[in-house]
Amino acid sequence: VRRVTLCDLDPQMTQLAAENPFFRGLNRDALNDNERVKVVEAAVSPGKSYTVFSKNDKYLWRGGYDSVATVHVVNMDAARFVERISGMYDVIIVDFPDPNAPDLAKLYSKTFYEHLRKKLSRDGLMIQQSTSPYHAREVFLSIGKTMRDAGLSTVPLKDNVPSFGEWGWWIAGRAENYSPGRIKKALRGIKNIAVETRYLTAPLIRANLVFPRDALNDDDIRVNTLGNSVIYHYYLNAWQNE
């Protein structure tokens, strides 16, 4: 990894990550050095890059820190961000709140995913937080169907998160370069994870691809657009019935 762009609407959230002792411990002070992290408040083009140095002993080299990435923090609405940001990304990680309000529904729209697709490199992959495939099945399926309608090939994943229960994600690549089968084959082919993990294992990745019979049938599911915000209504219906 040579460059990371972090987009968050709320500057207080990124400030919390930079100042709170607990979060500083988790992120190894990655956002706590003003000389190495560029915070962009009103623009999309970040300007000068700053380098973040790893404080993990594994990266120590000749008594100093080994440069691992440049980080740009952009505090702005994600929909505006993807419309305006330049360049391509090899990995896009989307971790929005659930679409529990009309303003959030736009971040799960076909238009939004079309913009994301244009920012994804030819061989790049993205992953989308997609609420619960069990408790909010229609929401989960609408996200995947909307991504496919925007020109992405998708593969669903699920896992049991202790604080949330059964939770889901969609991993995707550009449809002209990836098929669902190619993505699944790559995930199933993982034998070892190159970085240290506290939870994730290669067998668990393979298990996360397995869904119950008919759980992914989306024949009656609609694509979410800026005009219909159908995902918001799916969400309200799902959680009100819980």
Side-chain angles (χ1 to χ4, degrees), residues 5-18:
T5 303
L6 170 64
C7 178
D8 194 291
L9 176 64
D10 189 351
Q12 291 187 343
M13 292 299 293
T14 50
Q15 183 179 356
L16 185 69

Side-chain angles (χ1 to χ4, degrees), residues 53-90:
F53 292 83
S54 171
K55 294 187 178 181
N56 186 327
D57 289 343
K58 292 183 178 179
Y59 293 103
L60 288 178
W61 177 70
R62 293 184 182 177
Y65 294 135
D66 184 23
S67 171
V68 292
T70 58
V71 177
H72 291 134
V73 180
V74 182
N75 294 126
M76 68 185 306
D77 177 76
R80 291 181 58 222
F81 173 77
V82 297
E83 290 176 3
R84 301 184 182 189
I85 192 70
S86 60
M88 307 289 282
Y89 291 85
D90 295 321

